[in-house]
Amino acid sequence: MPKQTFFNLPKEKKESLIEAAMKEFSRVPLSEASISNIIKDAAIPRGSFYQYFEDKDDIFYFLLEEYSSTLNQRFRSILVKEDGDLIPTFIESYRMMLESIQNKEFRYFFKNAFLNMNYRIENTISKSISEEKRNSRFAEVAKLVNMDLLNIQHEAELFHVVKIIRAVTFQNLIQVFALDLSIEESIKNYTLDLHLIKNGIYKK
């Protein structure tokens, strides 16, 4: 996470540094990104960068964490609107996610993130819906889910259902970037996947 000195910066300077980092992480994956390019675009000395962040990983995961928080708020709002119905909530949230990355720079940032996925990247983004441990974010979501619609009995089972849907969500997002799918194509694939989860694959 950023150091307190970053949060103490004027809004314009914070935005300039974030924009410079987004530009660099949109150009190349994290492993190939250069702090030199970030500080050049942000017009700050190298020493100042290290007053705000430990390294390039620190600012990269800060950007992902900020996006994760936005996803979490959006997901809960949709879940309330859908009266706790999990499947349409995931589908609508997925659609909004795809629409939000249509901006060219934003899209390349997430393309580099998803096509170079590791555990830490996945875990940072997916905090919006689940974590390995049932933390406060998951508990907030669980309270909003209409359990009467689901063939499960306990929150522990809900946690595993969400983990399964999360895995499907990530796989579909990777396909968006790997195969350059349109929003319509990806939504169609994702909806089919989630309806199979909803209905099961065995005959009643």
Side-chain angles (χ1 to χ4, degrees):
M1 290 297 293
K3 300 175 183 178
Q4 188 58 46
T5 47
F6 172 77
F7 295 110
N8 292 339
L9 284 173
K11 181 180 178 181
E12 296 76 14
K13 288 190 175 181
K14 280 192 289 189
E15 290 178 349
S16 176
L17 183 51
I18 288 172
E19 287 173 7
M22 281 290 294
K23 180 179 179 181
E24 179 64 6
F25 296 130
S26 297
R27 186 182 69 84
V28 291
L30 171 61
S31 61
E32 300 174 27
S34 165
I35 290 178
S36 295
N37 289 337
I38 295 174
I39 63 176
K40 181 180 178 180
D41 279 333
I44 61 171
R46 179 175 289 269
S48 294
F49 178 87
Y50 289 109
Q51 288 179 358
Y52 310 138
F53 294 93
E54 291 291 339
D55 49 30
K56 65 180 181 180
D57 289 49
D58 200 18
I59 190 169
F60 176 80
Y61 285 105
F62 168 68
L63 294 175
L64 285 186
E65 178 66 35
E66 289 291 289
Y67 185 68
S68 171
S69 296
T70 300
L71 285 182
N72 181 55
Q73 294 171 7
R74 184 184 300 160
F75 186 86
R76 284 187 293 166
S77 295
I78 297 171
L79 190 57
V80 170
K81 185 187 72 174
E82 295 290 345
D83 296 321
D85 197 340
L86 206 56
I87 296 299
T89 296
F90 268 102
I91 292 173
E92 179 60 21
S93 182
Y94 184 75
R95 177 186 293 278
M96 294 181 71
M97 195 184 312
L98 292 182
E99 291 173 349
S100 73
I101 61 174
Q102 291 311 297
N103 171 280
K104 184 177 179 180
E105 189 169 279
F106 214 45
R107 182 177 179 85
Y108 280 109
F109 173 80
F110 283 101
K111 180 176 182 178
N112 285 330
F114 277 96
L115 295 186
N116 295 275
M117 184 72 71
N118 59 32
Y119 175 79
R120 187 177 175 189
I121 291 175
E122 179 179 352
N123 194 49
T124 300
I125 298 174
S126 64
K127 284 180 181 178
S128 58
I129 50 179
S130 176
E131 281 186 325
E132 284 195 346
K133 295 180 180 179
R134 291 188 287 279
N135 64 2
S136 58
R137 282 188 175 182
F138 176 78
E140 290 171 0
V141 170
K143 288 189 297 185
L144 300 174
V145 174
N146 185 347
M147 297 287 282
D148 293 337
L149 298 174
L150 304 176
N151 186 28
I152 60 176
Q153 304 299 320
H154 309 289
E155 184 180 297
E157 292 178 322
L158 175 62
F159 177 76
H160 286 281
V161 168
V162 171
K163 280 211 303 185
I164 292 169
I165 299 177
R166 180 187 70 176
V168 171
T169 302
F170 272 84
Q171 183 57 38
N172 275 269
L173 285 168
I174 289 170
Q175 289 181 354
V176 167
F177 298 115
L179 304 177
D180 198 25
L181 299 179
S182 67
I183 291 179
E184 291 73 20
E185 289 174 306
S186 185
I187 288 292
K188 181 179 178 181
N189 293 341
Y190 187 68
T191 300
L192 175 59
D193 288 346
L194 263 58
H195 281 174
L196 286 171
I197 292 173
K198 177 180 179 179
N199 299 323
I201 61 173
Y202 279 69
K203 292 181 178 179
K204 304 299 182 185

